[in-house]
Amino acid sequence: MPVHDVLIIGAGLAGQRAALAAARAGATVAIMSKVHPVRSHSNAAAGGINAALNPDDSWESHAFDTVKGSDYLGDQDAIEIMCREAPNEVLWLEHAGVTFHRSAEGKLGTRAFGGASAARTYYIADITGQALLHVLYEQLMKHHEQIDRYEEWFITGLAQDDEGNCVGAIARNIRDGAMELFTAKSTILASGGAGQCFKPTTNALICTGDGIAQAYRIGAPLMDMEMIQYHPTTLQGNGILITEGARGEGAHLYNAEGERFMEKYAPNKMELASRDVVSRAEQTEINEGRGFPDGTVALDITKVPRKRTLEALREIVNIGRDFAGVDITREPIRIRPGCHYIMGGVKADINGATSIPGLYAAGEVACVSVHGGNRLGANSLLDTLIFGRRSGEHAAARAAGMPAITASRAQVRDQEREIADLMNRSGGRRVSEIRDELGTMMNEKVAVFRDHAGLTEAHEVVRRLKDEARFATIDDRGTVFNQDVLGALELGYMLDVAECIVVGALERRESRGAQFRTDFPKRNDDEWLKHIDLSMNGGDAPKVSYSPVTITKWEPQERTY
């Protein structure tokens, strides 16, 4: 069986940064992904990465903006670390070969982004995530003697020893269906978010909450799961993202009556208020009848000079033309809020360590919590890189001080039996039908506005779908690139994650950040300035507990933009 010091699950930005950090610390590393690394969802990050590099800016200002954006649910010790280390991380990327945009003077150039008090977002047109991903993959290639790549392997579960330590993972080779146990002294989850629980979503088809559910199933608590970010600008129907960079460049939002409605909701920041504020404003306009008949409002990018749009926003020029039939340089494009990011995830400390010895988490799969109730735009790439690196370093240091480990292959045989049972089912609902019902329901009941009745109904539907998923039927009985089997396994992960999202949203009886309860419309710091933690509870609903929010210097205050 393959044995390594550090096993990294997921090869997006968090995973690749962790692999590079662990390798440079002297560890033997395996990095595993269910898709080729440069097809990871980090590709979709368009707008940029935040850092207070400018002499007129400061990490303290960046940190305060992040705390305020989180609606004071973010842990301030973690936020301080992220913002303090951000400038050096951006410089490291630049030295590694990332071709950041430069100003006319040749200096690294920035754009404005939502919720920020200064223009501190460094970018490469509107393909920042893709540019970073390719550069990190090049660096990965450079370390090929220390880093083994397992591309197109699907994790079916995490492996534990008799003491409950995480000792690796069981994976299925997508190419031929073979099952293998990968043992490691430290295992890092970097497998991304769970946007596919909602339909539509800006997230790739691979974002099915695998790592969140895998950690949850072996006893790791999840935190802040109720906090789901709805991005203000996505296309109606298909959920394709229109980057916040468009508003950063100067685009305006209008309702169907031609009113620039953000004046009412965020008179100072306007379109560049934090994402939860802008999404609620749009949804309010739509709900009160001032949207267009198709349930949208208008994003007017014609306010940006055409030359600048073609230079800095070229991908969304193509998206507008190909998916909406609109030339955004000449006319407004219709948009609406859409599911984009999960602020919650596997509860982890500032070094990525979870409550399970040997298991780490970094990136969107984790909750450190630097985003709290609402993530600021361009802080996600920063999160993946800072905490990916820290997890890699810490995991390598842990492995260096450990003797060789052993793991039982009985866990592989258990997984093989489960997949054989799955393949032999007949007469149940199709996986795609259950997945479609789940996503549509979550987008109706657990979206921008929530209430007790809708969330209770959502929980009932999720429980019913979990029962139906146990008997779901697939068509492909083969072993070579069997996507049917993977789809059924992903559905199980999605249903576990969806239940935790709904239970967390029901439990938090207040409105904070992305969680807006119409039956509890006010923020309640006295009762709810705390994290909601969720743990596996046998076959029942997730077990709820709480943990305090770490406050270092910024006491909660009213949040206005």
Side-chain angles (χ1 to χ4, degrees):
M1 68 180 77
V3 179
H4 296 83
D5 292 331
V6 179
L7 169 65
I8 297 160
I9 299 168
L13 288 174
Q16 292 193 39
R17 190 68 183 93
L20 291 169
R24 284 175 180 165
T28 58
V29 180
I31 186 165
M32 183 177 294
S33 174
K34 64 180 178 180
V35 294
H36 189 280
V38 298
R39 295 189 65 205
S40 302
H41 186 60
S42 299
N43 258 325
I49 178 170
N50 287 334
L53 259 173
N54 192 310
D56 298 331
D57 200 2
S58 68
W59 72 262
E60 291 93 343
S61 174
H62 182 189
F64 173 70
D65 290 345
T66 302
V67 170
K68 180 181 175 183
S70 78
D71 218 347
Y72 296 91
L73 192 66
D75 287 323
Q76 294 179 18
D77 57 341
I79 289 170
E80 286 187 29
I81 287 169
M82 182 178 78
C83 298
R84 191 186 289 121
E85 295 182 3
N88 284 339
E89 194 68 23
V90 169
L91 291 176
W92 180 86
L93 290 168
E94 208 271 340
H95 295 162
V98 175
T99 54
F100 284 111
H101 171 80
R102 288 183 175 269
S103 67
E105 303 89 58
K107 297 178 180 176
L108 291 176
T110 58
R111 62 168 41 130
F113 242 57
S117 56
R120 63 171 69 97
T121 303
Y122 294 86
Y123 65 98
I124 303 99
D126 54 353
I127 58 162
T128 308
Q130 186 180 28
L132 268 56
L133 198 59
H134 280 263
V135 167
L136 259 65
Y137 192 63
E138 291 165 3
Q139 296 295 316
L140 217 60
M141 294 294 189
K142 200 159 77 175
H143 291 80
H144 63 89
E145 291 178 358
Q146 270 181 286
I147 302 173
D148 293 329
R149 301 187 322 277
Y150 294 91
E151 296 164 4
E152 297 186 326
W153 283 75
F154 185 93
I155 302 295
T156 59
L158 296 171
Q160 288 178 285
D161 63 14
D162 293 340
E163 284 77 49
N165 302 306
C166 182
V167 291
I170 301 104
R172 176 184 172 94
N173 188 344
I174 299 173
R175 188 170 299 179
D176 60 11
M179 301 288 287
E180 186 58 86
L181 173 62
F182 290 77
T183 60
K185 297 174 183 177
S186 301
T187 302
I188 303 174
L189 285 171
S191 44
Q196 285 293 320
C197 292
F198 293 74
K199 185 180 179 182
T201 175
T202 63
N203 286 197
L205 289 169
I206 56 174
C207 298
T208 49
D210 303 14
I212 298 174
Q214 287 155 3
Y216 175 67
R217 289 176 182 180
I218 66 165
L222 309 181
M223 187 163 81
D224 297 347
M225 288 297 288
E226 68 277 15
M227 298 301 181
I228 302 294
Q229 181 165 90
Y230 266 62
H231 196 286
T233 53
T234 72
L235 294 185
Q236 162 74 353
N238 56 29
I240 293 174
L241 177 69
I242 302 297
T243 175
E244 187 166 315
R247 286 172 286 134
E249 295 292 342
H252 295 174
L253 288 166
Y254 294 95
N255 61 23
E257 297 168 5
E259 177 191 8
R260 192 180 173 193
F261 57 85
M262 283 309 300
E263 293 172 345
K264 297 184 293 189
Y265 302 95
N268 297 318
K269 284 288 185 183
M270 302 287 279
E271 286 83 5
L272 288 178
S274 67
R275 288 177 176 173
D276 59 322
V277 172
V278 180
S279 287
R280 272 195 297 278
E282 291 177 1
Q283 197 62 51
T284 300
E285 294 296 304
I286 293 164
N287 291 353
E288 293 180 359
R290 293 185 294 276
F292 292 95
D294 60 350
T296 60
V297 292
L299 178 69
D300 188 358
I301 305 172
T302 66
K303 304 296 180 186
V304 184
R306 189 167 190 271
K307 182 174 181 292
R308 178 63 182 162
T309 300
L310 295 173
E311 172 191 280
L313 301 170
R314 53 182 183 257
E315 284 303 306
I316 61 167
V317 171
N318 295 335
I319 287 169
R321 181 191 63 221
D322 296 343
F323 294 98
V326 170
D327 179 353
I328 64 168
T329 67
R330 302 186 188 281
E331 59 181 314
I333 189 167
R334 305 275 182 87
I335 52 88
R336 60 168 298 127
C339 171
H340 181 59
Y341 187 90
I342 181 165
M343 275 72 74
V346 183
K347 186 175 183 176
D349 68 15
I350 56 173
N351 295 310
T354 72
S355 65
I356 306 291
L359 181 65
Y360 295 78
E364 194 173 352
V365 72
C367 182
V368 178
S369 146
V370 286
H371 307 305
N374 171 71
R375 174 176 70 77
L376 290 189
N379 266 356
S380 57
L381 291 182
L382 184 60
D383 170 20
T384 63
L385 294 164
I386 297 292
F387 294 104
R389 173 177 54 76
R390 293 177 70 93
S391 298
E393 291 168 350
H394 202 269
R398 179 183 187 274
M402 286 180 65
I405 55 164
T406 56
S408 168
R409 288 195 66 85
Q411 296 171 82
V412 178
R413 292 190 286 275
D414 291 343
Q415 300 276 339
E416 286 173 334
R417 273 195 298 274
E418 285 180 26
I419 289 175
D421 291 345
L422 192 162
M423 284 184 162
N424 292 329
R425 291 180 198 154
S426 60
R429 285 186 76 185
R430 295 180 65 84
V431 169
S432 57
E433 288 177 6
I434 299 173
R435 185 167 171 160
D436 186 66
E437 184 179 350
L438 172 69
T440 303
M441 178 278 295
M442 292 290 283
N443 196 46
E444 288 175 1
K445 308 293 182 187
V446 200
V448 175
F449 293 112
R450 306 166 174 180
D451 61 31
H452 182 268
L455 292 169
T456 302
E457 184 183 339
H459 196 199
E460 290 168 358
V461 171
V462 170
R463 298 294 291 181
R464 171 174 58 78
L465 293 179
K466 287 185 92 163
D467 289 338
E468 292 177 358
R470 283 200 284 272
F471 305 100
T473 306
I474 63 172
D475 296 325
D476 190 349
R477 315 286 183 195
T479 56
V480 178
F481 283 97
N482 187 334
Q483 297 294 328
D484 268 10
V485 164
L486 306 189
L489 296 172
E490 287 173 336
L491 177 63
Y493 295 148
M494 288 162 62
L495 286 163
D496 280 354
V497 172
E499 182 170 29
C500 289
I501 292 168
V502 173
V503 168
L506 268 168
E507 181 67 18
R508 185 170 289 281
R509 293 179 291 279
E510 66 156 356
S511 291
R512 181 186 300 270
Q515 156 99 341
F516 194 95
R517 288 280 298 262
T518 55
D519 45 351
F520 297 98
K522 300 291 185 188
R523 192 178 85 187
N524 182 349
D525 290 336
D526 292 337
E527 291 186 44
W528 291 105
L529 185 62
K530 57 188 177 185
H531 299 292
I532 294 174
D533 301 338
L534 300 168
S535 305
M536 194 82 164
N537 190 27
D540 300 318
K543 180 185 174 187
V544 175
S545 59
Y546 308 102
S547 53
V549 175
T550 304
I551 295 174
T552 57
K553 59 177 71 172
W554 296 288
E555 291 295 329
Q557 53 187 267
E558 188 183 354
R559 185 165 163 258
T560 58
Y561 288 99

